[in-house]
Amino acid sequence: MSKVIKKRYTEEADYGFNLRTAREEARRCLLCLDPPCSKGCPAGTDPGSFIRSIRLNNIKGAAETIRSNNILGGSCARVCPYDRLCEEACSRTGIDKPIQIGRLQRFAIEQEKAFKMKVLEAPKKKKPFKVACVGAGPASLACAAKLALEGYQVTIYEEKEKAGGVLTYGITPSRLPEHVVAHDIKTVKDLGVKFVFGTKVGRDVDLNDMDYDAIFIGAGLWGDKLPDIPGVDKEGVWTAVEFLKTARVEKTKFKPGENVIVIGGGNVAIDCAVTAKLLGAKNVRIVYRRSIEEAPADMKEFKYALKLGVSITTEMAPAEVLGQDRVEAMAFTSRDGVSTAKFKADDVVFAIGQKPEDMTAIAAVKVNEKGEIKATKSGKTNLAKVFAAGDVVSGGKTVVEAVAEGKEAAESIIAYLAKKEGVK
Amino acid sequence: MAVKKDLSIEYLGVKCENPFFLSSSPVGSNYEMVAKAFETGWGGVFFKTVGIFVADECSPRFDQNDKNGLPWVGFKNMEQISDKPTEVNFENIYKLKRDYPDKIMVSSIMGSTEEEWRELAKMSEQAEADLIECNFSCPQMTSHAMGSDVGTNLELVEKYSRAVAESTKLPVIAKMTPNITIMEPAAIAAIKGGAKGVSAINTVKSITSLDYENLTGMPVVNGVSSISGYSGTAVKPIGLRFIANLAQCKELEGVPLSGIGGIETWNDALDYILVGARNVQVTTSVMQYGYRIVEDMISGLSYFMDERGFDSVDELVGLALPNLVPAEELNRDFKIIPKIDLDKCVGCGRCYVSCYDAAHQAIDWDDKKRRPTINDNCVGCHLCLNVCPVKDCILPGEIEWKEGRTPTEIKVKHYYD
Ligand SMILES: Cc1cc2nc3c(=O)[nH]c(=O)nc-3n(C[C@H](O)[C@H](O)[C@H](O)COP(=O)(O)OP(=O)(O)OC[C@H]3O[C@@H](n4cnc5c(N)ncnc54)[C@H](O)[C@@H]3O)c2cc1C
Ligand SMILES: Cc1cc2nc3c(=O)[nH]c(=O)nc-3n(C[C@H](O)[C@H](O)[C@H](O)COP(=O)(O)O)c2cc1C
Ligand code: SF4
Ligand code: SF4
Ligand code: SF4
């Protein structure tokens, strides 16, 4: 019999290091020249430096490196797909296996908190420019932090009651505990960034009427996306975003049905399946229309779901949601067209990608056919004073890339405002 | 904000940006190397020892030894002094001081006669070095008129120190060898001769390991090897001991000390400073990792000072000395019984094995539950605490007073890394 693990919804999926074990791991690091790991990090968190610091017992210096390079260093340490970023690049792989970079990063950031370090400080003297950021997700937080560090006055508008975007309303707390996100966000708040919650830009406020010198849009992908098949309007059918948000808000009060089917093959699908399982669903099945090999989810995450007892069915595409008013079952057809299947279901979660809401309600930005904002790599849109980055531009990538892009957009905003500085 | 402390310290009348210097060795042997070291943050450099004698080196000349797979516990070299022409070396010292006026250049010299020592001293001054260090301590010179054979001969130490001090107005430092039972007499001889500072240690005479292919030591040069100098982490405890001895020696009171041997991290440097060094020097860890390690020395020491509220390195010098006492002054009235945290214990049994085979059979072992308990045989030696692989699993617990002794207030260490 396979041994499945049982955990609570908020229980952490992974263990951390202590000083001794962290230094043991750092001792494996080869201290490479021009470290490939550092090049592998989109946000420039510089693992090559911080691991060296841990190895040389300069733990606070390690925390300083992480926090100064990546404002969401704590969250990234938990959720980055390292196996295709820094750890994939690690030279140690040529000997045995990569350095556990994410876990070392987690350790250093935990020390930052334990020692009550304040790595970043915004200048006392503020620049005479105001910037508004739409959304309090990773892209906006990174952009706002960078601007605040340069002395700009930044206000973030967030539709929801809390900051963090997907970090707070998406990823399961077992992978990303709330206190980790809260600590990262506090470092942004401590820089003097203002937050206005419960305010949807374009619905509740119009930034175009207000005296902001620049606007940054980091609104992510919060539009519904359901497939065009019969029965999707039935009760018990969820989009991944709604399902995860409900779980994050209601926590263990949220009770999914006994049989939950999650449709999709990305990390989001796995988060939904894991969430359902941890919240007490008995039979949780991920159904994906392609093969495991083609699935965008990380192997580490698949394994975790399997360990919890989630089953995975591949090469089956959803055909119809069955039932009266509420779902009772889900019908599928196989990729090769040979077979069909029907699985019992009390809840069906579609994790088949997200799309943006209507971004033109925020500003007259150009969008593509999927509704994603058209912006350059450095975050410039068709409007001189409007910038955008993160999922709303990329169509959905990773937290660390959203941080990198938010930081880069901040550079563009700084350059744009510098030109105006002479005028003011 | 990132903590940046002023780490500057006065050493022999010279203001140093920080106490972290490269020691005399290949890590500081030409212009480009030293320039890169300065750019990376080193406060000064003891340039590779210059002599009239130009070394002819063997190949290979290095070896390192490990402990359970952890490499570079110690490092052995069979190098002598500089293999570059004397004039080229002084020219480099001159150019480096000219191009990096705020950094400190120390000219390390070694003569084989009084005359040579005088000449090298004058050349150092002409090259505009800030300080001169006399290398009385290289243990693998091909001539017995040089190196540690000089350093263990008090008459020669005094004579050559005098020859150098008389030939220059620059402050003179005597670099001592650890291949001696006690270092104080040699240091006193150097000061008598006119040296103003003492640095220690140079390398320890050693054989790292044997080569079974050729039945000789490592490294193998044409089938044979030599006893030669050992350095790195393994020699740090020896270096600390000598610096503490010098710092506590009445006759040497006020003599600025420079600590060398096994420094790799800011803690290592701080250890030397706490036992009385105003300056620290590094070679082996730079050979292993490169100049960049100084960045974490600077940052780590800054954070430490910030955390403990120190404003200058000067305040740290010798702080631990009053607490280093002779064995006869230790309080022997009590024992501290270790406390085992059974929630942390992973059941490896190492504490039991060590305590049984090497201490006092003071641990009982439950072989069903795989958990240890300390019994009445415990003498409080803390072998178990040192051997336990789990952090904070075994820590000092209750204090027990030996029969007939009067309990007093005592200090106990609580935090173990
Ligand atoms: C379930 C799930 C799991 C994921 N797992 C991982 C993972 O393990 N690792 C990883 O690296 N990445 C993961 N990702 C991807 C990652 O979370 C995103 O790439 C990242 O969060 C994008 O950041 P963002 O700032 O662009 O957008 P978001 O995080 O989506 O933040 C956008 C914010 O803007 C707010 N907003 C939107 N419109 C408005 C408006 N008009 N007015 C005010 N506020 C508005 C939203 O409420 C939200 O708070 C996952 C994504 C999902 C959905
Ligand atoms: C390869 C090598 C060459 C050295 N050459 C010299 C030298 O020329 N002059 C000298 O005074 N010390 C020399 N030393 C000794 C070092 O300066 C230093 O005193 C010793 O190695 C201990 O410090 P460490 O543990 O940091 O290496 C040499 C050491 C090594 C490893
Ligand atoms: S690539 Fe790997 S081994 Fe090299 S410095 Fe980075 S973590 Fe260390
Ligand atoms: S370290 Fe450099 S000089 Fe020495 S043997 Fe290797 S390549 Fe040659
Ligand atoms: S050495 Fe430590 S972990 Fe091992 S049995 Fe003893 S107390 Fe437990």
Side-chain angles (χ1 to χ4, degrees), chain A residues 13-24:
Chain A
D14 222 348
Y15 66 89
F17 282 136
N18 62 34
L19 179 63
R20 200 184 283 184
T21 50
R23 293 196 71 204
E24 269 169 24

Side-chain angles (χ1 to χ4, degrees), chain B residues 176-320:
Chain B
M176 314 313 281
T177 173
N179 302 300
I180 192 170
T181 46
I182 47 171
M183 194 179 278
E184 294 89 318
I188 293 167
I191 300 297
K192 255 207 218 147
K196 292 283 177 290
V198 174
S199 57
I201 56 176
N202 205 315
T203 52
V204 182
K205 283 189 189 180
S206 69
I207 298 173
T208 35
S209 47
L210 272 286
D211 169 49
Y212 305 145
E213 248 176 283
N214 298 283
L215 292 182
T216 182
M218 287 288 287
V220 180
V221 181
N222 190 24
V224 297
S225 193
S226 287
I227 286 174
S228 73
Y230 194 49
S231 58
T233 301
V235 311
K236 184 184 136 193
I238 300 167
L240 284 174
R241 168 252 163 158
F242 279 119
I243 290 294
N245 279 162
L246 297 178
Q248 289 181 327
C249 171
K250 282 269 167 314
E251 290 96 319
L252 294 168
E253 212 177 301
V255 173
L257 302 174
S258 175
I260 322 168
I263 297 172
E264 177 172 310
T265 67
W266 63 272
N267 307 79
D268 300 326
L270 176 61
D271 291 357
Y272 273 99
I273 293 169
L274 290 175
V275 300
R278 302 187 66 75
N279 174 271
V280 292
Q281 307 182 34
V282 183
T283 281
T284 301
S285 56
V286 172
M287 296 191 76
Q288 190 183 2
Y289 301 124
Y291 301 126
R292 55 195 173 158
I293 59 171
V294 75
E295 293 166 1
D296 283 300
M297 292 184 182
I298 293 170
S299 157
L301 186 62
S302 299
Y303 271 117
F304 174 83
M305 287 169 57
D306 185 62
E307 192 180 306
R308 305 296 169 104
F310 289 103
D311 288 322
S312 78
V313 178
D314 206 47
E315 295 169 31
L316 294 165
V317 177
L319 266 192

Side-chain angles (χ1 to χ4, degrees), chain A residues 18-20 23-24 27 30-33 49 52-53 55-61 64 115 117-121, chain B residues 1-4 70 264-267 288-289 292-293 295-297 299-300 303 307 385 388-392 417:
Chain A
N18 62 34
L19 179 63
R20 200 184 283 184
R23 293 196 71 204
E24 269 169 24
R27 202 156 68 199
L30 308 178
L31 299 191
C32 301
L33 168 70
S49 293
R52 186 177 86 205
S53 293
R55 178 162 171 152
L56 297 175
N57 213 17
N58 179 17
I59 309 298
K60 290 184 171 181
E64 176 190 320
F115 283 107
M117 287 172 67
K118 210 165 166 229
V119 172
L120 305 173
E121 212 163 337
Chain B
M1 230 197 27
V3 174
K4 286 278 171 295
L70 174 68
E264 177 172 310
T265 67
W266 63 272
N267 307 79
Q288 190 183 2
Y289 301 124
R292 55 195 173 158
I293 59 171
E295 293 166 1
D296 283 300
M297 292 184 182
S299 157
Y303 271 117
E307 192 180 306
L385 184 155
C388 177
V390 182
K391 186 170 156 46
D392 295 341
D417 276 355

